[in-house]
Structures are given as structure tokens and as C-alpha cells.
Amino acid sequence: MASDTSKRSSYFLISPMALIFAVFLVIPLLTIVVVSFWDYDEYRILPDFILENYKYLLGSSVTWSIYLNTLKYAVLTWVFTLLIGFTVAYFLAFHVRSLTWQIVLFMLCTIPFWTSNIIRMISWIPFLGRNGLLNSALINLGIVDQPLEFLLFSDFAVVLADVHLYTLFMVVPIFNSMMRIDRSLIEAARDAGASGFETLKSVIVPLSKPGIAIGSIFVITVVMGDFITVRLMSGGQSASVGLQISNEIGLLQYPAAAASAVVLLITVLLIVTALLRLVDIRKEL
Amino acid sequence: MALLTKTRERRPTSFYFLAAFFALFVLFLYGPMLTIFILSFQGENGGLTFPMNGFSFHWFGNLFEQQAVGDFGGSFSRSLKLGLIVMVVTVVVSFMAGLAFRKRFRGDSVIFYLAIASLIVPSILISLGIGLLFNIVEWQPQWFTSALGAHLTWTFPFGLLIMFAVFNRFDPSYEEAARDLGASNWQTIQYVVLPMVGPSLIGVAMFSFTLSYDEFARTLMTAGALNTLPLEIYGMTTNVTTPVLYALGTVTTGFSFLVIALALGAVAIMRRRKGQKA
């Protein structure tokens, strides 16, 4: 009897969340799948069952080059955020000795996350632009005599902005993993004669793997689906899968956008499944 | 004594390299924001880049003129209201879900994986899906219906994960004690559980408000006819070429900082109260 009421109260407590996920996550994703088989003309979408959207999408060489480009952004961003994020987390976890300082410095890293992404992208313009700070500095120092054009509105700018926006997604889970490492293990490694680098390589990195995996999932999925960074920072000169979808939405070609969305979703899920083999998320909380 | 000797222990050389790296990282995070903060005080004839052409509040004034930059006031108040609704709903629903997850129930892993999925499905897909759904059933998308739902799919996973972290470290013997003393379920939650998880709930509140306040991709197809602030800012990036853009950046970033400060202040006050009671 008691367990019956407690079960019922569990269902009652979870129902608002379940309902929202059903209406605004599950049904919309199913809608995308259904609409990806629909037809369309200039004005509306027409219920149907056709494979044209997929045939066109997968048969076009543009699609493949866009995917390649998006993967390039994802991989580059992943490498840089991982290297920077790991180093920052390592510093915070093992070199900052007082808890107060750890909290203060950690907060310092997280605060920008609470501000608008778009504003953070825009904030690169005065720095990277043709007449921006970096170009003026380089010219004044005599390093270059023409302003460098590739700084803003380029692949470089896209990856820079991605790294700027998302390194925190690496720092937080890796820091979390590192803080759980038993300090006596590191003492033991040192007593056994391991150098700082050896300790890092054979104790800290392996034990930080769950954090690395979670951070990687965040960074890779967010960059794979991104369209606004690519549009703003490449100045419309580069494409990504997300941008292609948003362009198709702009042209009201919803079934085409839906087909692209389904392919993107499958790609992202495959990547995540591969990364999840490395970690059990529920154990990490 | 032990503490004193510990601080005197010599730091390895690697510490200084890593500290320098960390300082550069912080500069990388804050530097660009600082430049637009300075440039938002650009003189009336100044442009989007340095040098500063005088110093003025001209661009801030410009922000509040309707004609100059779209509907700043309207979009700001919509984003504020939406953020507050998202915040209240997320705190209440995540707390309830957190309580539910303390026991196993059928379908618990389904909800858990839905939350994870909600976090990793690209935002533009949520936007597209909800937009299509509303289109097909012929409902009018509105910021307080479709956009609200879209934002909740983004804030719930964070709220739920924070609640997991909180309840994993929560000692149930306090509740048992309350119940032994004759407290009802509701009294136990009100007088025992809520005060203990209060600071974390403030964290969830701050998380969900700012995530909603800054959300762009999920609002794109779900906001309906009236823009939220991020949509308005995005529109400005394509057609505004004056420092008014930076003034807007400074104002909204300042507002975000204010929210963080309020949240931290609230947590500090709660901690102190708890300390006094004990």
C-alpha cells in the first residue's frame, strides 16, 4: 500500500516535466520526421510521402561539402577547447590551493557564460576588423604593411568565436572530474618516483576521462548544430549544416529543412553514442 | 602551524606557466567585452572601431528612441517577462522532478534520456519542430506559448541535473527525523527540504532566467510576430552599423551581471540565515 502511494506521488511529481518534454520535444521532433517526407510549393507545405527531399539532399555535392565544413569547425573547436579547457581545469584543481580562490577563479571563468552569445560574437569586431585593434597593432609594429583580411569574416573568426563561447563547457566537467580524484593517488604516484608529467599522463588524464567525454559531447553537438556563429563570424562566406537549415526555413522550404534536420540529428546522435561509450553520465552527478 | 608551513612550500615552476596561461585565458574571455564596453561611450561622430572620437552617452540615448533601433523597449520587456516565467516554471518543475527521482519509478530512465536528448538536440531543430507543429495545427506562435515551451526544453535539463547533484548529496535522515516528530509530507518539504536545497534552487533560477533571456536559436521560429531581445539584437547586427550596437551590448551585459549579483546575494543571505539559526 505504502509503495503504491509513493509510486503515485512520483508520477504526480514527474508529470509536468514529462508533459513539457512530450509536447515541445518529442512531438516536434516527430513532426520534423513526418514533414521531411512531405512535398511543398512556393506557398505551403503539402502532406505526401515522397523521398525527393532526401534524394535531393544526399545527391547534392553541396551537402557533402557543407558537412565537411561543419565537421572541420567541430573538430578544430573541439581540439582547442579541450587543450585550453583541460589546462585551465588542471590549474584550478591542482595548483590553486585554497578553496576560496578556487571558487573565485572558477566564477571568473563562468560569468561570461551568463551573457548573450550574440553580444560576445559582436565584441570581436573592434578587435579583429580591418581597422581593428589587432591590425593597427601589427601595422604599428611593422609586422605587416597591409591589414590582414582573414581575421574577421573567415573560418579563423568562426573557430575563434566558437572557442571563445564554448571553452567553458570543457572547463566545468573536467574540473568536476579532477576535483573527485583522490589526492592520495597523486601523492602515491609522486612517492613511487613519477615526475609531474608522468603523474599527469598516467593518473590525472585517465581519471579525468568522464569529464573530457561530457565536455566533448557538449562542444561537438553545439558546434555541429550552430548557425549563428557561422553566419555572423564568416560574414556569410561559409556554410554549416545549421545555417543551411536556417536558410531553407527562411525560404519557407520546410520539408527540405526537415530532411536536412533529420540527417543532422542522426549524425549528432551517432557522434554522441560513440562518446557515451566512454562514460556513464548518471554516475557523474 | 601546518597551514603556515604549507603556504611556504615552494611552488613548482609549472605553477607560474599555468598561472600565466590562466591569466591569458581570462583576458581572452573578458578582453573583447571590455572593448565594446569602452566603445559604447564613443563620441557622436565615432565609428565601430578605435580610435575613440570623444566621449558621450549619445549611443545610449539613441537606444531608447523608437525609430533609431527598432523596438528595444518592447523586446526587452518581453524577454524579461519570458525569462521570469521560464525561471518560475523551471524551479518548480525541476524541484518536483528532483523529488520524484529520489525513488525509482517506471519510466524514470525515459525521462532522464529525454532530458539529455533535449540538451544535445541542436537548438534549431527544436525551433523548426515547434514552428512546424504550430503551423500544421494552425496555432499562432507566440512568445508566451511556443517560445516558452522551446525555452523550457533548454532549461529543464539543467534544472534536473542540478537537482540530481543536490539530492545525491542529501541526507534523508533529516526528513525521517521530521516525520518521526509528526510532520506531514508537506511540512517536511516546507520546513526541512526547502531550506536545505534553497541555495541550489536559486542557482536553478539564475541558470534558467539567463538561459532564456539570452536564447536565440530556439526562439527563432517560435516567437511569432513580436521579437524577443536576442532576436532584436540579431536583426540589428545585419543593418545597424553604428556604436548603438555596442551600447545595447553594454546595457544587456550589465543587466546579466546584475542578475548574477542578485542571485549570489540571495545565496549569501540564505547561508547567513541558516548559520544564525544553527
Coordinates of all heavy atoms in Angstrom, one line a residue, chain B residues 208-278:
Chain B
S208 N 18.1 29.4 -15.3 CA 17.0 29.3 -16.2 C 16.7 30.7 -16.7 O 16.4 30.9 -17.9 CB 15.8 28.6 -15.6 OG 15.6 29.1 -14.3
F209 N 16.8 31.7 -15.8 CA 16.5 33.1 -16.3 C 17.4 33.5 -17.4 O 17.1 34.0 -18.4 CB 16.5 34.1 -15.1 CG 16.2 35.5 -15.6 CD1 14.9 35.9 -15.8 CD2 17.3 36.3 -15.9 CE1 14.7 37.2 -16.3 CE2 17.0 37.6 -16.4 CZ 15.7 38.0 -16.6
T210 N 18.7 33.4 -17.1 CA 19.7 33.9 -18.1 C 19.7 33.0 -19.3 O 19.9 33.6 -20.4 CB 21.1 33.9 -17.5 OG1 21.4 32.7 -16.9 CG2 21.3 35.0 -16.5
L211 N 19.5 31.7 -19.2 CA 19.5 30.9 -20.4 C 18.4 31.4 -21.3 O 18.5 31.5 -22.6 CB 19.3 29.4 -20.1 CG 20.5 28.7 -19.6 CD1 20.2 27.3 -19.2 CD2 21.7 28.8 -20.5
S212 N 17.2 31.7 -20.7 CA 16.1 32.1 -21.5 C 16.3 33.5 -22.1 O 16.0 33.8 -23.2 CB 14.8 32.1 -20.7 OG 13.8 32.9 -21.2
Y213 N 16.8 34.4 -21.2 CA 17.0 35.8 -21.6 C 17.9 35.9 -22.8 O 17.8 36.8 -23.6 CB 17.5 36.5 -20.3 CG 17.8 38.0 -20.5 CD1 16.8 38.9 -20.7 CD2 19.2 38.4 -20.6 CE1 17.2 40.3 -20.8 CE2 19.5 39.7 -20.8 CZ 18.5 40.7 -20.9 OH 18.8 42.0 -21.1
D214 N 18.9 35.0 -22.9 CA 19.9 35.1 -23.9 C 19.6 34.2 -25.1 O 20.4 34.2 -26.1 CB 21.3 34.8 -23.4 CG 21.8 35.9 -22.4 OD1 21.4 37.0 -22.6 OD2 22.5 35.5 -21.5
E215 N 18.5 33.4 -25.0 CA 18.3 32.3 -26.0 C 17.9 32.9 -27.4 O 17.0 33.7 -27.5 CB 17.3 31.3 -25.6 CG 17.0 30.2 -26.5 CD 18.3 29.4 -26.9 OE1 19.2 29.3 -26.1 OE2 18.4 29.0 -28.1
F216 N 18.6 32.5 -28.4 CA 18.3 33.0 -29.7 C 17.7 31.9 -30.6 O 16.6 32.0 -31.2 CB 19.6 33.6 -30.4 CG 19.4 33.9 -31.8 CD1 18.7 35.0 -32.2 CD2 19.9 33.1 -32.8 CE1 18.5 35.3 -33.5 CE2 19.7 33.4 -34.1 CZ 19.0 34.5 -34.5
A217 N 18.5 30.8 -30.8 CA 18.1 29.8 -31.8 C 16.8 29.2 -31.6 O 16.0 29.0 -32.5 CB 19.2 28.7 -31.9
R218 N 16.5 28.9 -30.3 CA 15.2 28.2 -30.0 C 14.0 29.2 -30.1 O 12.9 28.8 -30.1 CB 15.2 27.6 -28.6 CG 16.0 26.4 -28.5 CD 16.1 25.8 -27.2 NE 17.2 24.9 -27.1 CZ 17.1 23.6 -26.9 NH1 15.9 23.0 -26.6 NH2 18.1 22.8 -26.9
T219 N 14.3 30.5 -30.2 CA 13.2 31.5 -30.3 C 12.9 31.8 -31.7 O 11.9 32.3 -32.0 CB 13.6 32.8 -29.5 OG1 14.5 32.5 -28.5 CG2 12.4 33.5 -29.0
L220 N 13.9 31.5 -32.6 CA 13.8 32.0 -34.0 C 12.5 31.7 -34.7 O 11.9 32.6 -35.3 CB 15.0 31.3 -34.8 CG 15.2 31.8 -36.2 CD1 15.6 33.3 -36.1 CD2 16.3 31.0 -36.8
M221 N 12.0 30.5 -34.6 CA 10.8 30.1 -35.3 C 9.6 30.0 -34.4 O 8.5 29.7 -34.7 CB 10.9 28.8 -36.0 CG 11.6 28.9 -37.4 SD 11.4 27.3 -38.2 CE 9.7 27.3 -38.7
T222 N 9.8 30.4 -33.1 CA 8.7 30.1 -32.1 C 8.2 31.4 -31.5 O 7.3 31.4 -30.7 CB 9.2 29.2 -31.0 OG1 10.4 29.8 -30.4 CG2 9.6 27.9 -31.5
A223 N 8.9 32.6 -31.8 CA 8.5 33.8 -31.1 C 7.2 34.4 -31.7 O 6.6 35.3 -31.1 CB 9.6 34.8 -31.1
G224 N 6.9 34.1 -32.9 CA 5.7 34.7 -33.5 C 6.0 36.1 -34.0 O 7.2 36.3 -34.4
A225 N 5.0 37.0 -34.0 CA 5.2 38.3 -34.6 C 6.1 39.2 -33.9 O 6.7 40.1 -34.4 CB 3.8 38.9 -34.8
L226 N 6.2 39.0 -32.5 CA 6.9 40.0 -31.7 C 8.2 39.5 -31.3 O 8.4 38.3 -30.8 CB 6.1 40.4 -30.5 CG 4.7 41.0 -30.8 CD1 3.8 41.0 -29.6 CD2 4.9 42.4 -31.3
N227 N 9.3 40.3 -31.5 CA 10.7 39.9 -31.2 C 11.0 39.8 -29.7 O 10.5 40.7 -29.0 CB 11.6 40.8 -31.9 CG 11.9 40.5 -33.3 OD1 11.5 39.4 -33.8 ND2 12.6 41.3 -34.0
T228 N 11.8 38.9 -29.3 CA 12.5 39.0 -28.0 C 13.8 39.7 -28.2 O 14.2 40.0 -29.3 CB 12.8 37.6 -27.4 OG1 13.7 36.9 -28.3 CG2 11.5 36.8 -27.3
L229 N 14.5 40.1 -27.1 CA 15.7 40.9 -27.2 C 16.8 40.3 -28.1 O 17.3 41.0 -29.0 CB 16.2 41.2 -25.8 CG 17.3 42.3 -25.8 CD1 16.8 43.6 -26.4 CD2 17.8 42.5 -24.4
P230 N 17.1 39.0 -27.9 CA 18.2 38.4 -28.7 C 17.8 38.5 -30.2 O 18.7 38.7 -31.1 CB 18.3 37.0 -28.3 CG 17.9 37.0 -26.9 CD 16.7 38.0 -26.8
L231 N 16.5 38.3 -30.6 CA 16.1 38.4 -32.0 C 16.3 39.8 -32.5 O 16.8 40.0 -33.6 CB 14.7 38.0 -32.2 CG 14.3 36.5 -31.9 CD1 12.8 36.3 -32.1 CD2 15.1 35.6 -32.9
E232 N 16.0 40.8 -31.6 CA 16.1 42.2 -32.0 C 17.6 42.5 -32.2 O 18.0 43.2 -33.2 CB 15.5 43.0 -30.8 CG 15.3 44.4 -31.2 CD 14.1 44.6 -32.1 OE1 13.2 43.7 -32.2 OE2 14.0 45.6 -32.8
I233 N 18.5 42.0 -31.3 CA 19.9 42.3 -31.4 C 20.4 41.6 -32.7 O 21.2 42.3 -33.4 CB 20.7 41.7 -30.2 CG1 20.3 42.3 -28.9 CG2 22.2 41.8 -30.4 CD1 20.9 41.7 -27.7
Y234 N 20.0 40.4 -33.0 CA 20.4 39.7 -34.2 C 20.0 40.5 -35.4 O 20.8 40.7 -36.3 CB 19.9 38.3 -34.2 CG 20.3 37.6 -35.5 CD1 21.6 37.2 -35.6 CD2 19.4 37.4 -36.5 CE1 22.0 36.6 -36.8 CE2 19.8 36.7 -37.7 CZ 21.1 36.3 -37.8 OH 21.5 35.7 -38.9
G235 N 18.8 41.0 -35.4 CA 18.4 41.9 -36.5 C 19.2 43.1 -36.7 O 19.6 43.5 -37.8
M236 N 19.7 43.7 -35.6 CA 20.5 44.8 -35.6 C 21.8 44.6 -36.2 O 22.4 45.4 -36.9 CB 20.7 45.4 -34.2 CG 19.5 46.2 -33.7 SD 19.7 46.7 -32.0 CE 21.1 47.8 -32.2
T237 N 22.4 43.4 -36.0 CA 23.7 43.1 -36.5 C 23.8 43.2 -38.0 O 24.8 43.4 -38.6 CB 24.3 41.7 -36.0 OG1 23.3 40.7 -36.6 CG2 24.3 41.6 -34.5
T238 N 22.6 42.9 -38.6 CA 22.7 42.9 -40.1 C 22.4 44.3 -40.7 O 22.8 44.6 -41.8 CB 21.6 42.0 -40.7 OG1 20.4 42.2 -40.0 CG2 22.1 40.5 -40.4
N239 N 21.8 45.2 -39.9 CA 21.5 46.5 -40.5 C 21.9 47.8 -39.7 O 21.8 48.9 -40.2 CB 20.0 46.6 -40.9 CG 19.1 46.4 -39.7 OD1 19.5 46.7 -38.6 ND2 18.0 45.8 -39.9
V240 N 22.5 47.6 -38.6 CA 23.0 48.7 -37.8 C 24.5 48.8 -37.9 O 25.1 47.8 -37.6 CB 22.5 48.7 -36.3 CG1 23.1 49.8 -35.5 CG2 21.0 48.7 -36.3
T241 N 25.0 49.9 -38.3 CA 26.5 50.0 -38.4 C 27.0 51.1 -37.5 O 28.0 51.8 -37.9 CB 26.9 50.2 -39.8 OG1 26.1 51.3 -40.3 CG2 26.7 49.0 -40.6
T242 N 26.4 51.4 -36.4 CA 26.8 52.4 -35.5 C 27.1 51.8 -34.1 O 26.6 50.7 -33.8 CB 25.8 53.6 -35.3 OG1 24.6 53.0 -34.8 CG2 25.5 54.3 -36.7
P243 N 27.8 52.6 -33.3 CA 28.1 52.0 -31.9 C 26.9 51.8 -31.1 O 27.0 51.3 -30.0 CB 29.0 53.1 -31.3 CG 29.6 53.8 -32.5 CD 28.6 53.8 -33.6
V244 N 25.7 52.1 -31.6 CA 24.5 51.9 -30.8 C 24.4 50.4 -30.5 O 23.9 50.0 -29.5 CB 23.2 52.4 -31.5 CG1 22.8 51.5 -32.7 CG2 22.0 52.4 -30.6
L245 N 24.9 49.6 -31.4 CA 25.0 48.1 -31.2 C 25.8 47.8 -29.9 O 25.4 46.9 -29.1 CB 25.7 47.5 -32.4 CG 25.6 46.1 -32.7 CD1 24.2 45.6 -32.8 CD2 26.3 45.7 -34.0
Y246 N 26.9 48.5 -29.7 CA 27.7 48.3 -28.6 C 27.0 48.8 -27.3 O 27.1 48.1 -26.2 CB 29.1 49.0 -28.7 CG 29.9 48.6 -29.9 CD1 30.8 49.4 -30.5 CD2 29.8 47.3 -30.4 CE1 31.6 49.0 -31.5 CE2 30.6 46.9 -31.4 CZ 31.5 47.7 -32.0 OH 32.2 47.3 -33.1
A247 N 26.3 49.9 -27.4 CA 25.6 50.4 -26.3 C 24.6 49.4 -25.8 O 24.4 49.1 -24.6 CB 24.9 51.7 -26.7
L248 N 23.9 48.8 -26.8 CA 22.9 47.7 -26.5 C 23.6 46.5 -25.8 O 23.2 46.0 -24.8 CB 22.2 47.2 -27.8 CG 21.2 46.1 -27.6 CD1 20.1 46.5 -26.6 CD2 20.6 45.8 -29.0
G249 N 24.8 46.2 -26.3 CA 25.6 45.1 -25.7 C 26.0 45.4 -24.3 O 25.8 44.6 -23.4
T250 N 26.4 46.7 -24.1 CA 26.8 47.1 -22.7 C 25.6 47.0 -21.8 O 25.7 46.5 -20.7 CB 27.3 48.5 -22.7 OG1 28.5 48.5 -23.6 CG2 27.7 48.9 -21.3
V251 N 24.4 47.5 -22.2 CA 23.2 47.5 -21.4 C 22.8 46.1 -21.0 O 22.6 45.8 -19.9 CB 22.1 48.3 -22.1 CG1 20.8 48.1 -21.3 CG2 22.4 49.8 -22.1
T252 N 22.7 45.2 -22.1 CA 22.2 43.9 -21.8 C 23.2 43.0 -20.9 O 22.8 42.3 -20.1 CB 21.7 43.1 -23.0 OG1 22.1 41.8 -22.9 CG2 22.1 43.7 -24.3
T253 N 24.5 43.3 -21.2 CA 25.5 42.6 -20.4 C 25.5 43.1 -19.0 O 25.5 42.3 -18.0 CB 26.9 42.8 -21.0 OG1 26.9 42.4 -22.4 CG2 27.9 41.9 -20.3
G254 N 25.3 44.4 -18.8 CA 25.2 44.9 -17.5 C 24.0 44.3 -16.7 O 24.1 44.0 -15.6
F255 N 22.9 44.2 -17.5 CA 21.7 43.6 -16.9 C 22.0 42.1 -16.4 O 21.6 41.7 -15.3 CB 20.6 43.6 -17.9 CG 19.3 43.1 -17.3 CD1 18.6 43.8 -16.4 CD2 18.8 41.8 -17.6 CE1 17.4 43.3 -15.8 CE2 17.7 41.3 -17.1 CZ 16.9 42.1 -16.2
S256 N 22.7 41.4 -17.3 CA 23.0 40.0 -16.9 C 23.9 40.0 -15.6 O 23.6 39.1 -14.7 CB 23.8 39.3 -18.0 OG 23.1 39.2 -19.2
F257 N 24.9 40.9 -15.5 CA 25.7 40.9 -14.4 C 24.9 41.2 -13.1 O 25.1 40.7 -12.1 CB 26.8 42.0 -14.5 CG 27.9 41.5 -15.4 CD1 29.0 42.4 -15.7 CD2 28.0 40.2 -15.9 CE1 30.0 41.9 -16.5 CE2 29.0 39.8 -16.7 CZ 30.0 40.6 -17.0
L258 N 23.9 42.1 -13.3 CA 23.0 42.5 -12.2 C 22.3 41.2 -11.7 O 22.2 41.0 -10.5 CB 22.0 43.5 -12.6 CG 21.1 44.1 -11.6 CD1 21.8 45.0 -10.7 CD2 19.9 44.9 -12.2
V259 N 21.8 40.4 -12.6 CA 21.1 39.2 -12.2 C 22.0 38.3 -11.5 O 21.6 37.7 -10.4 CB 20.5 38.5 -13.5 CG1 19.9 37.1 -13.1 CG2 19.4 39.4 -14.2
I260 N 23.2 38.1 -12.0 CA 24.2 37.2 -11.3 C 24.4 37.7 -9.8 O 24.4 37.0 -8.9 CB 25.5 37.2 -12.0 CG1 25.3 36.7 -13.4 CG2 26.5 36.3 -11.3 CD1 26.6 36.8 -14.3
A261 N 24.6 39.1 -9.7 CA 24.9 39.7 -8.4 C 23.7 39.4 -7.5 O 23.9 39.1 -6.3 CB 25.2 41.1 -8.6
L262 N 22.5 39.6 -8.0 CA 21.3 39.4 -7.2 C 21.3 37.9 -6.7 O 21.0 37.7 -5.5 CB 20.0 39.7 -8.0 CG 19.7 41.1 -8.2 CD1 18.4 41.3 -9.0 CD2 19.4 41.8 -6.8
A263 N 21.5 37.0 -7.6 CA 21.5 35.6 -7.2 C 22.5 35.3 -6.2 O 22.2 34.6 -5.2 CB 21.7 34.7 -8.5
L264 N 23.8 35.8 -6.4 CA 24.8 35.5 -5.4 C 24.5 36.1 -4.1 O 24.7 35.5 -3.0 CB 26.2 36.0 -5.9 CG 26.8 35.3 -7.1 CD1 28.1 36.0 -7.5 CD2 27.1 33.9 -6.7
G265 N 23.9 37.3 -4.1 CA 23.5 38.0 -2.9 C 22.5 37.2 -2.1 O 22.5 37.0 -0.9
A266 N 21.5 36.7 -2.9 CA 20.4 35.9 -2.3 C 21.0 34.6 -1.6 O 20.6 34.3 -0.5 CB 19.4 35.5 -3.3
V267 N 21.9 34.0 -2.3 CA 22.5 32.8 -1.7 C 23.3 33.1 -0.4 O 23.1 32.4 0.6 CB 23.5 32.1 -2.7 CG1 24.2 31.0 -2.0 CG2 22.7 31.5 -3.9
A268 N 24.0 34.2 -0.5 CA 24.8 34.6 0.7 C 23.9 34.9 1.9 O 24.1 34.5 3.0 CB 25.6 35.9 0.4
I269 N 22.7 35.6 1.6 CA 21.8 35.9 2.7 C 21.2 34.6 3.3 O 21.1 34.4 4.5 CB 20.6 36.8 2.2 CG1 21.2 38.2 1.9 CG2 19.5 36.9 3.2 CD1 20.3 39.1 1.2
M270 N 20.8 33.7 2.4 CA 20.3 32.4 2.9 C 21.2 31.6 3.8 O 20.9 31.1 4.8 CB 19.8 31.5 1.7 CG 18.6 32.0 1.0 SD 18.2 30.9 -0.3 CE 16.8 30.0 0.4
R271 N 22.5 31.6 3.3 CA 23.6 31.0 4.1 C 23.7 31.6 5.5 O 23.8 30.8 6.4 CB 24.9 31.1 3.3 CG 25.0 30.2 2.1 CD 25.9 29.0 2.4 NE 25.7 27.9 1.4 CZ 26.2 27.9 0.2 NH1 26.9 28.9 -0.2 NH2 25.9 26.9 -0.6
R272 N 23.7 32.9 5.5 CA 23.9 33.6 6.8 C 22.7 33.2 7.7 O 22.9 32.9 8.9 CB 24.0 35.1 6.6 CG 24.5 35.8 7.8 CD 24.7 37.3 7.6 NE 25.6 37.5 6.4 CZ 25.6 38.7 5.8 NH1 24.8 39.7 6.2 NH2 26.4 38.9 4.8
R273 N 21.5 33.3 7.2 CA 20.3 33.0 8.0 C 20.4 31.6 8.6 O 20.1 31.4 9.7 CB 19.1 33.1 7.1 CG 18.5 34.4 7.1 CD 17.0 34.4 6.8 NE 16.5 35.7 6.4 CZ 15.6 35.9 5.5 NH1 15.1 34.9 4.9 NH2 15.2 37.1 5.2
K274 N 20.8 30.7 7.7 CA 21.0 29.3 8.2 C 22.0 29.2 9.3 O 21.8 28.6 10.3 CB 21.4 28.4 7.0 CG 20.7 27.1 7.1 CD 20.8 26.2 6.0 CE 21.7 25.7 5.1 NZ 21.9 25.0 4.1
G275 N 23.1 29.9 9.1 CA 24.1 30.0 10.2 C 23.6 30.5 11.5 O 23.9 30.0 12.5
Q276 N 22.8 31.5 11.4 CA 22.2 32.1 12.6 C 21.3 31.2 13.4 O 21.4 31.1 14.6 CB 21.4 33.4 12.3 CG 22.3 34.6 12.2 CD 21.6 35.8 11.7 OE1 20.4 35.7 11.3 NE2 22.3 36.9 11.6
K277 N 20.5 30.4 12.6 CA 19.6 29.5 13.2 C 20.3 28.4 13.9 O 19.9 27.9 15.0 CB 18.6 28.9 12.2 CG 17.4 29.7 12.0 CD 16.4 29.1 11.0 CE 15.5 30.0 10.4 NZ 14.9 29.5 9.2
A278 N 21.4 27.9 13.3 CA 22.1 26.8 13.9 C 22.8 27.0 15.2 O 22.9 28.2 15.6 CB 23.1 26.3 12.9

